[in-house]
Amino acid sequence: MTKAKWWIYQIGIPLVLLYAFPWVFNNAHTIHVAQSFLITYIVIVGLNLLVGLSKQLSLGHVGFYAIGAYLSVILTMKVGLNFFVSVIIAALVAALFGAVVALLSLRAKGPYLAMVTIAFGELVGIIANRWVDVTGGPAGVRTSQPSLFGFELGPIEYMWFIGLLAVIITAGATNIFRGRFGRTMTAFGNSEVASEVLGINVRGWKILAFSISAFLAGVGGGLFAFQNQFISSTTFELNLSILFLIAVIIGGSGTKIGPIIGTAIIVGLPQFLHNFVDYHLMIFGGILLVALILLPDGIVGAFTNLSFIKKLSSKKVTTELGILHDDREATIDLPDGINGKLLELENISMHFGGIKAIDDVEIEVWGGIVHGIIGPNGSGKSTTVNVLSGVYMPTGGNLLWKGKNITKYAPHGIAQEGITRTFQNLQLFEDMSVLQNVMVGFHLHFKTGFLKNVLYLGQVSDEERYYAQKAYDLLRIVGLEEKAHEKASDLPYGEQRLVEIARGLALKPSLLILDEPAAGASPKEIEKIMDVIQRLKNAGLSIILVEHHMDIVMNVCDYITVLDFGKKICEGTPETIQNDPRVIEAYLGGEEVNQLVAGTKSIS
Amino acid sequence: MDLTDVLKAIINGLVYGSVYAIIAQGYYITFITTKTMNFGQGDFVMLGSLIGLSTFTAITAAGMGVWIAFIASLLLVIVVVGISGWALEQVAIRPLRSWHSIGWILSTVAVAMIVRNVAMLIWGRDVLMAPSPFGRAILDLGILKIRYHEIFVLVGAAVIMLLLYVFLKKSLFGKALEAVAFNKDAASLMGINPRLMASIAFIIAGTLAGVGGVLVGPMVHPGAFIGLFLGLKAFAVAIIGGIENPRGIFIGGLLLGVSENLFALYSTSMKEAAAFFLILVILAVLPQGLFGKRVKEKF
């Protein structure tokens, strides 16, 4: 979208509609409903960022909403601040609480996460209900008429004011959606571990996502307090949190237009149902159930799933990002090759309870070569990779990277040092296109900050275009440029593995760990993967290759370490390995087995 | 505050806690088999207590004995709420089994809304009085007085828990359920039908909610809108104990019940807040609950 068009669609038209609204529907009730719509919409935009992009469930948003409402009332009435200043301060405090809730729930998942957020919301509700001196409890508390620069805002002006905020917030949210912030949130919502090994500090990002979402809920709460100049604790109950979530899901979670439709439904439906007050819950529940069953991706999601809309949008992406495909050879950006000792595993052990997955293993990895790690099933290869990438912290021993001790580093810390990996069990970001998957890999190279992204300054779009081109070039290297805009999860297995390799390359790693890159791939795909590895090797990239397919290992590796039952049994060049009796024994069983097979010995 | 108050609070806590625990076992059974739960479990409890109440009053009014009335109402509740559990699985869980985690929360909430509305149309908006088969009889131990109904609930809950335990651990069906929980595909290859297991899990969950409702009815004032509070407490219990550990849930239930009633000695707001405060503290330290097992993810 060009700049001018964006201004017209995102800012111009909504503002005109807003301005015209009171002239078309000029009665107090409609204006009030419009206010409610806009206030709720702001909350839903925030919740959509959290639930839709980063897949973090919150059933406690009413807590942030209540904090925004009560605090802005207190700041206005007791401290005497202007209402809008109070709302902003209150929303910032709500954001702080968002960070606290995120911290408390960092390790909790699924129902446990749901419960943490419910508990938070309920606690705030109980405080609102019981701390009567401050909150007024169920009897409520009054506040003043909102005013700006000495000018009192009547219902219509107040609606305009909220509307203006809603338009600004929408624009900011859309900018987050299309830039790297939205992409990063979607990424860790899809796969936390893959995000980590690409250098994303998932904890920090979760806290950020929760804070933004809580901030917007706080803004909504503050605006709500001044809508009727009255709030009471009966508003802030779990039901409201559930209602917010319903709006996100029915509208279409993770979509840009979803919140508008979702909010229209939860605000508008009760208006139509107020004649059937006895059947209200039943009708609402019925509609919700039917919508969930028939439109699992929400109303907007159902539309975007239509194939012709899909085609249209992928075409738009290419032109918007200005991706070039010329005849020049795509090159790989890599750090300068290192020839010395890169990585040392000093007596590394990883024990799970009594199981010694790897035990006292020593490996030295040298720069510029392909170092193979092989071994039969259960020999500790995967555990080794998990230790090397920081996914597991070893129970013993040290990990030295260019002489520096990185044993205790989190995966994103290890990624910052220039080590990344692919996954045996594919960890692609399924909601994203192939190109976007690779673009996430550039995470550590992006420079623009949060504010610039919210405003989507020229720098941001330049950066986006620059890395889109880079990502496209990487896809050319692995031969997937034609599938750049397909959904990553729609690709065949072998190609998904190539996407993971391209994504890892985007980090510009000094060391790339390939965890069984050929597992599950067809012979033709294996050939392709082998060719890619060979070319990376020629480009001077240091690689650790964990693999089952002996033909790949023996052809590509310069040096091989063999593991068996968590121990290193030997290492050396492919020739040495092939002729080592210990390796043959580990793979085929020893002399005893030969005798058993030949029938010269029997099990007694 | 003297010792009698504390003792009374502890006994009260055990009584309520054991009811929470029974309701929460419903979360456990459906979660291990389908990775989903009925977020409206509390409304099934409400349904149980109201149906129980109406049946009990109707039969005693016809002049029959209280025990006949009680057993009849228990049986009716088991049938009706059990069927509701099955229906819930059919309309709210089965059609959306394949999607990500948020859908089932809302779909079960949607069913709960409908159930609540129906209850409201039948029993009205106000809370009612539910009679106990023991009437208002009180056991006087000198230092403290306990209602017979409370003793009955405590014993009843223990029996139900024991039956459930034997059923899950010893019966072939229980083993099949566990097999599905452990590995759905492998269980399916062994001739166990995971879909059937899911239906049965929801029927059991519904039954537990119903029985919990019958037991708890005379202790609270049941009405169409009490479900949310009970369901939330039971959910808190399941999370505190660790949702995949039935014994943990039982201990979690007693723990919550007792601490809640001890907090109540200080103030009623503390009582309300206790459950949620406890949860935030426990989950911050042990994200899988007190007795949940930690699984190291493999990549």
Side-chain angles (χ1 to χ4, degrees), chain A residues 256-276:
Chain A
K256 286 182 236 173
I257 314 164
I260 299 179
I261 296 174
T263 312
I265 289 172
I266 63 162
V267 175
L269 206 54
Q271 303 302 322
F272 289 104
L273 294 183
H274 71 267
N275 289 331
F276 311 96

Side-chain angles (χ1 to χ4, degrees), chain A residues 22 177 259 396:
Chain A
F177 261 83

Side-chain angles (χ1 to χ4, degrees), chain A residues 180 183-184 198-200 331-333 429 434-448 463-475 502-509:
Chain A
R180 75 178 182 103
R183 202 164 45 234
T184 308
L198 295 172
I200 297 168
T331 51
I332 316 174
D333 265 353
F429 307 128
V434 170
L435 186 79
Q436 285 172 323
N437 262 276
V438 180
M439 281 180 81
V440 176
F442 288 108
H443 179 79
L444 289 175
H445 303 290
F446 276 90
K447 295 276 181 289
T448 53
E463 201 181 43
E464 282 287 305
R465 247 178 270 137
Y466 177 74
Y467 285 111
Q469 180 67 50
K470 288 257 171 201
Y472 188 78
D473 287 348
L474 283 177
L475 287 175
R503 190 176 68 182
L505 287 173
L507 186 87
K508 298 183 195 162

